Amino acid sequence: MKVLSVIFFTCVLQINSLEKSPSKPPTNPPQLPNPPVNPPWVSRPVSHTTHMPQTEQKPQTPKVPSIAKPANPNPDQPEQNPGKIEPTNKPHVNDGVLGPQQCLEQKYTRLSCAKVFCPPWMRCISGVCVCKVPYKCPRQESRVCTLDGLSYYSMCQANAISCRSKEPVFSHFSATCKVGDKVEVTLVKSEDSKDVIMIQTPASEKRLVCGKYWDMAAANVVCQNPGNAPSGAKLASKMSYRLLEKAKKWPNECMSVRCTGSELSLAECSIATPEPITEKTEVAVANCYKEPHQGKCEGFTCVNGRCLKYKNTCNGVDDCGDNSDEMCCLSCGNSAFHCKSHVCIPEHAVRDGIRDCLGGEDELEVTEDPKKVTEDPKKGKNKTIQQWYSDPKEEIRNIRTSLEKLECGIPNMDYVYRPEEKVPSHQRSKRLVGGEEALPTQIQWQVAIQEDKEIHCGGAYLGGCWVLTAAHCVRPKPKSFRIKISLWEKHNRQSTTDSIPVKNIIIHHEYNPQTYENDIALVQLELLNLSDQCIQENPAVRAVCVPWSTQQFQPNDTCTISGWGRNKDGKSAPILKWANVTIIADCKTYYKGRIHPGMECAGDLEGKVDSCQGDSGGPLVCKDASGVSYVWGLVSWGDKCGEPDHPGVYTKVAHYFDWIRFNTGWPAVTKYNQ
Ligand code: ARG
């Protein structure tokens, strides 16, 4: 690794051609068409709406929603006629909440798995959640009942079916599964002709829905019930029970419901155990659109076409019905939680045992922040433990635990700090500016690619029989290569070092050696004799995770590079080195047209830290909030090494997720969204 130095070597000026570095990409590289992100087996999407989950769409030429926010004279008053908003001449002000603009242009919804996790009954293909085949769902101990009186092995299975039919299937958790044994929801007119929500659970009287937790997400679910207008809720409000007409006999209990907005009926939401109604109780009221919104939208245009006031975006509540109002937020209101990927999630989704933010930052243990541990902010310190009659969250936790089994990105800590018994003969250099020598078993996913007895490149161990490296590091000649795992000193093996023959090398079909586009390759290891494994159990070798979304890490995140590449003397490092680098935004500023999709820059703009010849193919590893490491980049190219304003260029692995999954055919590529 090249560290803070004068540059002696560049990829072009390869004096010592032992380092198998390809030539510097030309300043005006041929403009090839962008590499297809979709693998060939994925059919081209046609639609991308919340309610068409089987089909998928990469945003075409999206209508750019305006991010301006009109001045709102009375923000708490419901709009007079929100369905038909009259154009106003009020100035539009950008309130700086929605954004970034590129994000809004992508038209993300809750089904955009670049941004959020798919529910367990869906999987992520080319960035879009699609319905799973029901048998891919894990079984549960007790069966679940559905609205039609059938029973399934799990809520996941029932929802996988309902995902395809787009009909509500899942009812609630019951052992009887009799038809009629279901949760029924009706709208009942109050005297002043407000629609109050009634809910009837099996074998019990009708109850009202309490005002607690009642929001647009829940009202949208009610307003899409068969028999109601399908266009969603205009308003979710509450009214005092006291104001209900006394002549009519109203229930004396209510049940709170909490929905995410993705449910097809209230029965799929979390339903709390009944509470007695007092004079003070507020009950839920929904105001459903009679027909879809038409005309110009003066607020935020949801991806599904609905129109919201700006103040209803980025509050953690799915006001749109497709969650598009929560997907691109620079900050979040309403005590919602802001994920690093710019998504707002509701407060109740924080530390609930279900990871919502891509990096898991919503599930971190936080010691001091009383506001966040309280269920209901209004209740302050008197935290009441909510009792749930039916809680899909519990099921989701179970399904996700049983699906998310893959182990990657966590080093074997017992080995990380273990110095090798055999102390190397030369003086170990201590901290170098910007980088340092690794401990013998510190970087457990680092591999060396050996070609005809020489090591010119690094790589990343993905687990199973797979190693990821740069295309420019390999040729389609498996016999000439071996992969060295747990190597530390480049020319000496340590007790945990192993050298594995290669079975196959898959170079990206659109790799361009002139421009370095798609500089990525998979190396398949040879199976061990009479085994289905490729490497012997090794305490000093662990797999790194493959990022499935290009949004998991962002510019300015700090990540780690490692390799045996050249250092400041132009010599390749005898001992594996590592350094921290920062992900750099807008790399075109530095390299102009030489930056293509699937490339990303990292380093520092002063040129203090960089990778260099011989580091190629090696991993740029980023750690998420939960401490799991991902191979975010592969060392690919750069102008010289450690040049100010010429950071290292890396192959952006997440861009190739579908390619990796397709070519390895390996289900264990990711533990999420499977
Ligand atoms: N092409 C080089 C190799 O094959 C990697 C160069 C990386 N250069 C840089 N400035 N980061 O090893």
Side-chain angles (χ1 to χ4, degrees):
M1 183 179 321
K2 169 74 187 166
V3 187
L4 176 67
S5 60
V6 194
I7 309 313
F8 297 103
F9 299 90
T10 71
C11 269
V12 209
L13 299 175
Q14 257 192 73
I15 298 156
N16 177 353
S17 57
L18 275 184
E19 309 283 4
K20 189 185 154 295
S21 298
S23 56
K24 171 182 145 191
T27 326
N28 288 317
Q31 292 297 313
L32 291 188
N34 290 347
V37 192
N38 283 347
W41 76 99
V42 175
S43 61
R44 271 281 155 190
V46 259
S47 151
H48 187 187
T49 64
T50 315
H51 303 294
M52 292 288 184
Q54 284 97 333
T55 51
E56 51 192 82
Q57 185 178 45
K58 277 272 144 74
Q60 291 157 357
T61 357
K63 277 194 279 151
V64 183
S66 152
I67 56 163
K69 196 172 196 172
N72 189 350
N74 195 352
D76 292 312
Q77 272 309 295
E79 294 181 30
Q80 285 313 300
N81 184 2
K84 298 230 189 301
I85 304 159
E86 298 303 319
T88 57
N89 293 325
K90 303 232 170 66
H92 285 209
V93 280
N94 182 354
D95 73 334
V97 170
L98 283 161
Q101 184 61 34
Q102 308 95 289
C103 176
L104 291 161
E105 286 166 16
Q106 298 297 311
K107 306 231 153 222
Y108 291 119
T109 68
R110 72 166 79 259
L111 297 181
S112 307
C113 36
K115 282 260 170 190
V116 286
F117 291 104
C118 298
W121 46 91
M122 298 183 102
R123 59 191 303 240
C124 177
I125 296 191
S126 297
V128 182
C129 301
V130 297
C131 304
K132 241 182 212 177
V133 275
Y135 77 85
K136 292 267 185 196
C137 282
R139 287 185 175 208
Q140 261 168 238
E141 267 162 41
S142 56
R143 294 173 75 93
V144 297
C145 300
T146 58
L147 291 171
D148 48 10
L150 296 176
S151 81
Y152 290 100
Y153 283 116
S154 64
M155 164 175 124
C156 174
Q157 213 179 67
N159 280 349
I161 289 164
S162 136
C163 177
R164 286 165 180 264
S165 65
K166 295 173 211 89
E167 295 288 336
V169 167
F170 177 68
S171 165
H172 70 106
F173 307 90
S174 127
T176 68
C177 293
K178 285 201 216 83
V179 190
D181 182 8
K182 61 183 178 192
V183 175
E184 255 180 301
V185 176
T186 40
L187 298 186
V188 181
K189 286 253 179 281
S190 72
E191 195 182 20
D192 51 354
S193 89
K194 285 190 173 142
D195 284 318
V196 227
I197 325 293
M198 292 264 216
I199 185 162
Q200 185 172 24
T201 52
S204 79
E205 295 292 303
K206 283 198 169 136
R207 298 183 178 104
L208 290 166
V209 169
C210 326
K212 184 162 73 167
Y213 306 140
W214 184 250
D215 60 12
M216 277 293 282
N220 272 324
V221 174
V222 167
C223 291
Q224 71 181 2
N225 270 352
N228 291 311
S231 352
K234 200 185 284 185
L235 198 67
S237 57
K238 299 168 191 185
M239 69 182 283
S240 171
Y241 180 76
R242 207 159 28 87
L243 300 178
L244 287 175
E245 188 191 355
K246 290 287 169 306
K248 243 189 202 166
K249 201 178 168 304
W250 293 97
N252 56 7
E253 282 185 323
C254 71
M255 288 171 114
S256 301
V257 296
R258 191 157 64 189
C259 309
T260 64
S262 66
E263 298 86 353
L264 293 175
S265 85
L266 269 200
E268 291 168 35
C269 299
S270 299
I271 306 174
T273 46
E275 294 167 39
I277 289 181
T278 69
E279 282 296 294
K280 285 203 207 105
T281 305
E282 291 206 299
V283 297
V285 173
N287 187 349
C288 298
Y289 274 120
K290 300 285 177 292
E291 58 201 44
H293 164 82
Q294 277 160 359
K296 194 159 171 276
C297 177
E298 290 291 327
F300 173 77
T301 307
C302 305
V303 170
N304 63 16
R306 291 185 198 163
C307 183
L308 297 185
K309 287 186 162 193
Y310 283 110
K311 72 172 170 96
N312 293 335
T313 62
C314 299
N315 57 1
V317 178
D318 170 18
D319 292 85
C320 282
D322 60 6
N323 212 32
S324 53
D325 52 323
E326 305 300 319
M327 304 301 286
C328 299
C329 301
L330 299 172
S331 62
C332 309
N334 191 22
S335 46
F337 183 88
H338 190 237
C339 296
K340 259 178 64 188
S341 59
H342 301 304
V343 177
C344 294
I345 61 164
E347 200 180 17
H348 67 79
V350 179
R351 260 160 272 129
D352 65 345
I354 303 170
R355 169 192 276 246
D356 294 286
C357 302
L358 296 183
E361 55 271 30
D362 55 318
E363 293 305 315
L364 296 184
E365 288 302 328
V366 171
T367 35
E368 252 132 308
D369 192 354
K371 196 170 104 261
K372 291 277 179 222
V373 258
T374 321
E375 268 273 293
D376 185 347
K378 287 195 204 82
K379 286 240 162 65
K381 294 218 153 53
N382 316 323
K383 182 180 167 185
T384 45
I385 304 287
Q386 184 68 61
Q387 299 284 316
W388 296 102
Y389 162 80
S390 157
D391 188 9
K393 270 200 184 189
E394 185 55 39
E395 297 297 306
I396 290 173
R397 269 191 286 271
N398 292 341
I399 305 167
R400 288 204 20 184
T401 341
S402 80
L403 286 173
E404 293 166 5
K405 287 258 160 62
L406 179 67
E407 273 180 31
C408 63
I410 310 277
N412 178 357
M413 291 314 279
D414 296 345
Y415 265 73
V416 170
Y417 297 107
R418 218 175 83 128
E420 187 69 347
E421 289 87 56
K422 188 170 72 76
V423 177
S425 48
H426 56 86
Q427 184 66 45
R428 275 195 53 193
S429 52
K430 283 272 162 51
R431 247 191 110 78
L432 298 176
V433 186
E436 63 184 289
E437 285 180 1
L439 290 168
T441 55
Q442 181 181 333
I443 305 169
Q444 302 181 352
W445 28 79
Q446 174 82 44
V447 307
I449 314 271
Q450 180 181 299
E451 181 183 4
D452 301 327
K453 304 264 164 356
E454 303 275 359
I455 292 172
H456 307 301
C457 274
Y461 179 56
L462 303 185
C465 294
W466 296 99
V467 163
L468 198 59
T469 187
H472 81 259
C473 286
V474 288
R475 298 174 292 130
K477 294 243 176 317
K479 295 244 151 25
S480 316
F481 289 88
R482 283 185 90 88
I483 299 298
K484 288 210 156 159
I485 56 172
S486 193
L487 188 67
W488 177 53
E489 286 182 273
K490 193 171 173 183
H491 302 293
N492 283 312
R493 43 170 299 138
Q494 53 181 349
S495 58
T496 46
T497 305
D498 204 351
S499 166
I500 303 153
V502 169
K503 181 174 176 197
N504 192 17
I505 293 177
I506 306 165
I507 297 173
H508 196 283
H509 52 289
E510 284 178 299
Y511 164 56
N512 181 334
Q514 269 80 50
T515 60
Y516 271 31
E517 282 169 281
N518 310 308
D519 190 13
I520 189 168
L522 279 159
V523 178
Q524 184 176 21
L525 307 174
E526 197 74 73
L527 282 170
L528 286 166
N529 253 349
L530 304 173
S531 164
D532 58 355
Q533 294 187 332
C534 292
I535 71 168
Q536 223 104 41
E537 175 61 40
N538 190 325
V541 175
R542 288 292 179 264
V544 67
C545 302
V546 179
W548 69 90
S549 161
T550 54
Q551 319 236 350
Q552 276 173 272
F553 299 93
Q554 318 273 340
N556 298 326
D557 281 350
T558 300
C559 306
T560 308
I561 48 173
S562 48
W564 291 271
R566 289 179 188 181
N567 57 25
K568 64 172 159 200
D569 321 314
K571 297 214 181 80
S572 88
I575 288 184
L576 181 64
K577 287 171 66 182
W578 69 274
N580 280 339
V581 290
T582 308
I583 299 180
I584 294 170
D586 305 322
C587 205
K588 289 204 170 119
T589 324
Y590 311 104
Y591 285 113
K592 306 281 173 327
R594 291 156 68 191
I595 299 294
H596 294 276
M599 294 181 181
E600 184 155 75
C601 289
D604 71 15
L605 295 174
E606 288 170 44
K608 284 192 184 152
V609 206
D610 198 3
S611 44
C612 199
Q613 279 66 48
D615 289 322
S616 275
L620 163 73
V621 170
C622 307
K623 218 194 247 188
D624 75 7
S626 57
V628 175
S629 293
Y630 289 85
V631 52
W632 188 246
L634 302 170
V635 178
S636 180
W637 61 276
D639 268 357
K640 306 187 181 165
C641 309
E643 276 280 296
D645 285 340
H646 285 92
V649 185
Y650 296 78
T651 307
K652 190 167 185 166
V653 175
H655 187 88
Y656 298 96
F657 177 76
D658 285 304
W659 178 83
I660 296 171
R661 187 158 62 171
F662 173 66
N663 282 284
T664 56
W666 186 44
V669 166
T670 173
K671 79 178 193 175
Y672 297 114
N673 296 322
Q674 277 279 38

